[in-house]
Amino acid sequence: MSEDLEAKFLRKIEGEEKIEPKDWMPDGYCKNLIRQISQHAHSEVIGMQPEGNWITRAPSLRRKAVLLAKVQDEGGHGLYLYSATETLGISRDEMIHALQTGEAKYASIFNYPAQTWADVGAIGWLVDGAAIVNQVSLQRTSYGPYARGMVRICKEESFHQRQGYELMLVLARGSDDQKALAQDALNRFYWPSLMMFGPHDAESAHTAKSMQWKIKRQSNDELRQKFIDQTAPQIDFLGLDHPDPECKWNEERGHYDNGEIDWDEFYDVINGNGHCNRQRIEHHVRAHREGEWVRAAMQTYEARKKKAKAA
Amino acid sequence: MKAKILEYSTRLGDDSLVLGHRLSEWCSNAPFLEEDLALINVALDYIGRARMFYGYAAELSADGRNEDDFAFMRDQREFSNLLIHELPKGDFAFTMLRQLFIDLFNSLFLPRLAESSDKTLAAIAAKAIKETRYHLRRSHEWTLRFGLGTDESRERAQRAIDQLWGYTHEMFDLDALESELAEAGIGVDSGALKTEWEQQVSAILTEAELEQPGEQWAVKGGREGYHTENLGQLLNEMQSVHRAYPGLEW
Ligand SMILES: [Fe+2]
Ligand SMILES: [Fe+2]
């Protein structure tokens, strides 16, 4: 019986049909999805912190409004992805618990500090940019709710990337001080953005199974290459120095070559020892704890209203 | 008259910007994600209003200043927001009760301003009315949740009301400039709104089983730049980047 179900499931995957919440799916597929989508949701939510940290200091009212709206979008993505994960039979409370206890991960990039105003530009341009490369690929992921979520989210991410790049452009064409801010932000965020695609394919723990189930459609290294290729001319157009001196166009490959990523740093941050790992989770835990009485009041009030209605 | 309208629009811009700033401080700090998004929404509405009021002030000044000069290049003694807007965000009850008092005020004030003989002020107000309707729905609902929720939420809400009460009176004061503009049909006679505001506050607090403070105290001075210590700190933060690199485009 279960073999039939699994065969049917695999046939669907094979035929590029979407798997929907009510469909039978192997346990491993479901677990894998929960891990990936909730991690994605947590990333959106934790990602509100580094940029949110600049809302009160944005140097113009227009930038302040744009940044507020962007951070709001990210929160909205988080909500949307939490709902998509809930279709797999896990509650938001459980997911938040997993985040706060370190059981679930979020994108490591958000453990890097947003130190200067230019970082807001660099994050929009590079971090949202890298996220898009990944998410465009995920629009073809095999799980229906996730695939549809990606289509919707990608549109907004592209908007964020353009805004971030435009912010960088203004700085890069501005005063010497502004240009230095832009270069510094690029230098700090370039490599971590490359790391967003995860370890090399050979070292990636989840890639093989995820590819077979078509949760992932392209490998880490393929996606990273795509990002490197799209970013090099953008850096050039800004008139900034490329942070990777080995980044050169390779005619033969039809791609840019690049220098090696510092994987020690990558694993250090992944393992919880980046500049902001502890701070990000503590922040989330604090806000959640401070909100406890609010959520309790809401529940009590709703229960009271229901009771009054019934009576 | 132009100089007076400029001043009036600046004041309304200051109110909006300072409150928008306080609301924006909730970003990633709200009790749950949906509320983060809702608070950002309201903050965005206020930042938007600030830009329109300052933009109009800049236009009237005709001296090359823009909205950002009003927001970032004036010191706290020149800021003329009413004090209630600058008080720290406090806990979630404080933020929502402040909203209730201000939303109720705005729901009375804006429809009058929308009838201003000054077309620009009227247009800004007309746009803001819709936003305020949504803000008030929220702050009203939250007041009920606090008052009819748990012991803790009721206590927190009551404390917020008691702390805020003395800052509400200033909303209904008019100085010479505001009186003159009200008489000319340009500004709003906010003093005339007080009775209705009090009735509405009282009705909502009663519905929420919360108490309206009997004690009468009033702290005032915002329109003359006589602020609490909070505004200086708020502006230090808000203006820091802009002022570190003067005269640049962002
Ligand atoms: Fe996002
Ligand atoms: Fe984004």
Side-chain angles (χ1 to χ4, degrees):
Chain A
M1 179 67 184
S2 114
E3 257 174 19
D4 287 352
L5 287 169
E6 186 150 4
K8 197 175 153 204
F9 168 82
L10 288 172
R11 239 193 346 269
K12 264 196 180 164
I13 299 265
E14 208 50 49
E16 294 290 326
E17 265 181 76
K18 296 290 177 229
I19 306 299
E20 294 301 332
K22 54 179 189 336
D23 294 343
W24 183 90
M25 58 186 88
D27 232 26
Y29 178 82
C30 179
K31 283 214 182 88
N32 198 319
L33 274 174
I34 289 180
R35 182 186 58 76
Q36 185 169 334
I37 310 177
S38 71
Q39 175 172 334
H40 192 164
H42 296 323
S43 304
E44 301 281 0
V45 171
I46 296 294
M48 294 169 77
Q49 290 182 32
E51 289 184 283
N53 146 60
W54 281 96
I55 289 170
T56 54
R57 290 175 290 171
S60 77
L61 293 179
R62 181 174 77 88
R63 293 285 178 200
K64 192 191 285 288
V66 166
L67 181 57
L68 264 167
K70 188 215 184 218
V71 175
Q72 187 185 40
D73 285 347
E74 307 300 7
H77 299 166
L79 260 188
Y80 196 76
L81 288 164
Y82 280 134
S83 309
T85 323
E86 280 173 328
T87 62
L88 294 157
I90 183 172
S91 72
R92 174 129 55 114
D93 279 347
E94 288 171 306
M95 287 186 262
I96 288 179
H97 180 78
L99 170 68
Q100 295 187 342
T101 53
E103 230 177 285
K105 300 262 179 259
Y106 56 89
S108 211
I109 187 78
F110 299 120
N111 293 315
Y112 291 83
Q115 277 178 277
T116 74
W117 170 250
D119 292 8
V120 170
I123 291 173
W125 165 36
L126 298 172
V127 176
D128 287 66
I132 295 168
V133 170
N134 202 15
Q135 290 169 10
V136 163
S137 171
L138 285 172
Q139 290 178 357
R140 292 160 49 229
T141 193
S142 57
Y143 189 56
Y146 195 27
R148 290 188 289 273
M150 284 305 104
V151 173
R152 194 171 134 173
I153 288 173
C154 270
K155 279 192 203 133
E156 289 180 357
E157 302 294 13
S158 316
F159 200 57
H160 299 162
Q161 193 197 17
R162 278 205 300 279
Q163 286 169 336
Y165 190 70
E166 189 261 334
L167 195 163
M168 291 298 272
L169 195 59
V170 169
L171 296 180
R173 307 237 160 121
S175 73
D176 290 349
D177 281 339
Q178 286 175 313
K179 191 167 177 183
L181 281 175
Q183 182 69 58
D184 174 55
L186 169 60
N187 293 347
R188 280 180 292 108
F189 275 92
Y190 180 74
W191 291 105
S193 311
L194 297 193
M195 298 180 201
M196 284 174 68
F197 297 95
H200 282 313
D201 296 343
E203 265 107 87
S204 177
H206 304 289
T207 294
K209 204 70 189 167
S210 295
M211 294 282 274
Q212 191 201 331
W213 279 331
K214 296 190 180 171
I215 293 175
K216 261 183 94 103
R217 304 307 306 253
Q218 283 169 293
S219 78
N220 294 354
D221 286 329
E222 281 175 286
L223 293 168
R224 184 167 19 243
Q225 183 68 60
K226 209 172 150 200
F227 179 70
I228 289 169
D229 290 347
Q230 82 179 32
T231 304
Q234 291 171 345
I235 294 174
D236 205 44
F237 186 76
L238 289 174
L240 298 176
D241 296 328
H242 201 298
D244 178 2
E246 292 174 49
C247 186
K248 301 238 158 57
W249 178 251
N250 182 328
E251 194 64 56
E252 212 170 297
R253 291 202 311 125
H255 289 293
Y256 282 88
D257 289 335
N258 64 295
E260 194 46 82
I261 289 168
D262 180 354
W263 292 106
D264 288 342
E265 182 196 306
F266 172 81
Y267 285 110
D268 227 26
V269 181
I270 286 246
N271 290 327
N273 300 317
H275 268 53
C276 302
N277 297 61
R278 289 168 182 81
Q279 176 193 330
R280 298 291 185 239
I281 292 299
E282 267 170 33
H283 181 130
H284 195 277
V285 169
R286 182 195 37 77
H288 193 68
R289 191 179 347 105
E290 285 174 2
E292 204 171 316
W293 71 268
V294 180
R295 297 189 299 274
M298 198 161 78
Q299 270 170 13
T300 311
Y301 174 69
E302 292 305 327
R304 206 172 147 169
K305 241 173 53 177
K306 219 179 260 170
K307 215 169 128 189
K309 229 184 197 168
Chain B
M1 202 46 112
K2 209 163 146 186
K4 285 173 184 162
I5 300 174
L6 189 164
E7 166 73 20
Y8 191 61
S9 200
T10 306
R11 290 176 177 192
L12 297 175
D14 290 347
D15 286 343
S16 304
L17 179 60
V18 169
L19 185 63
H21 182 104
R22 285 301 185 215
L23 287 163
S24 78
E25 290 175 330
W26 278 101
C27 180
S28 83
N29 292 302
F32 48 95
L33 191 50
E34 286 83 346
E35 200 48 46
D36 270 297
L37 306 188
L39 285 163
I40 295 177
N41 243 339
V42 182
L44 270 169
D45 288 342
Y46 276 100
I47 302 294
R49 279 181 211 182
R51 295 184 65 189
M52 291 187 282
F53 283 125
Y54 286 153
Y56 187 39
E59 187 189 319
L60 290 172
S61 77
D63 57 6
R65 278 187 292 171
N66 61 26
E67 59 178 30
D68 288 335
D69 294 316
F70 282 81
F72 296 100
M73 296 311 288
R74 290 183 306 134
D75 291 323
Q76 59 136 339
R77 295 282 289 133
E78 298 164 77
F79 260 72
S80 53
N81 58 283
L82 300 172
L83 303 177
I84 192 169
H85 301 99
E86 74 198 41
L87 301 175
K89 78 184 206 299
D91 66 7
F92 189 66
F94 188 88
T95 282
M96 291 318 298
L97 263 306
R98 163 165 52 195
Q99 283 310 127
L100 178 73
F101 293 151
I102 292 174
D103 296 342
L104 276 174
F105 175 79
N106 279 331
S107 71
L108 298 169
F109 178 88
L110 291 170
R112 266 80 171 183
L113 188 62
E115 286 165 10
S116 168
S117 61
D118 183 293
K119 292 283 173 290
T120 309
L121 290 177
I124 298 171
K127 182 175 182 297
I129 288 172
K130 268 206 336 235
E131 300 164 354
T132 282
R133 222 173 276 144
Y134 159 72
H135 302 168
L136 179 59
R137 260 207 315 280
R138 276 175 43 77
S139 52
H140 183 174
E141 180 72 11
W142 272 114
T143 303
L144 296 181
R145 286 166 173 169
F146 297 148
L148 307 174
T150 63
D151 289 344
E152 181 175 4
S153 67
R154 190 173 318 116
E155 275 160 32
R156 283 178 185 265
Q158 192 60 55
R159 202 179 318 139
I161 293 165
D162 296 343
Q163 283 170 351
L164 281 158
W165 195 249
Y167 294 93
T168 60
H169 307 298
E170 199 183 19
M171 297 192 288
F172 306 97
D173 282 355
L174 281 85
D175 65 2
L177 179 134
E178 285 166 348
S179 300
E180 190 186 333
L181 288 176
E183 259 161 56
I186 296 166
V188 177
D189 177 8
S190 44
L193 310 175
K194 189 162 195 184
T195 315
E196 203 178 340
W197 180 85
E198 274 176 341
Q199 282 166 359
Q200 293 186 8
V201 167
S202 163
I204 292 177
L205 294 186
T206 306
E207 187 189 1
E209 297 176 16
L210 292 163
E211 272 162 48
Q212 193 166 326
E215 194 192 351
Q216 290 303 328
W217 54 283
V219 185
K220 298 177 177 184
R223 292 289 187 234
E224 293 114 66
Y226 185 35
H227 290 283
T228 67
E229 289 167 356
N230 303 297
L231 184 69
Q233 283 159 3
L234 183 155
L235 294 181
N236 270 347
E237 183 178 347
M238 189 182 81
Q239 299 173 335
S240 58
V241 179
H242 186 96
R243 288 191 176 202
Y245 309 92
L248 301 180
E249 295 283 319
W250 295 96

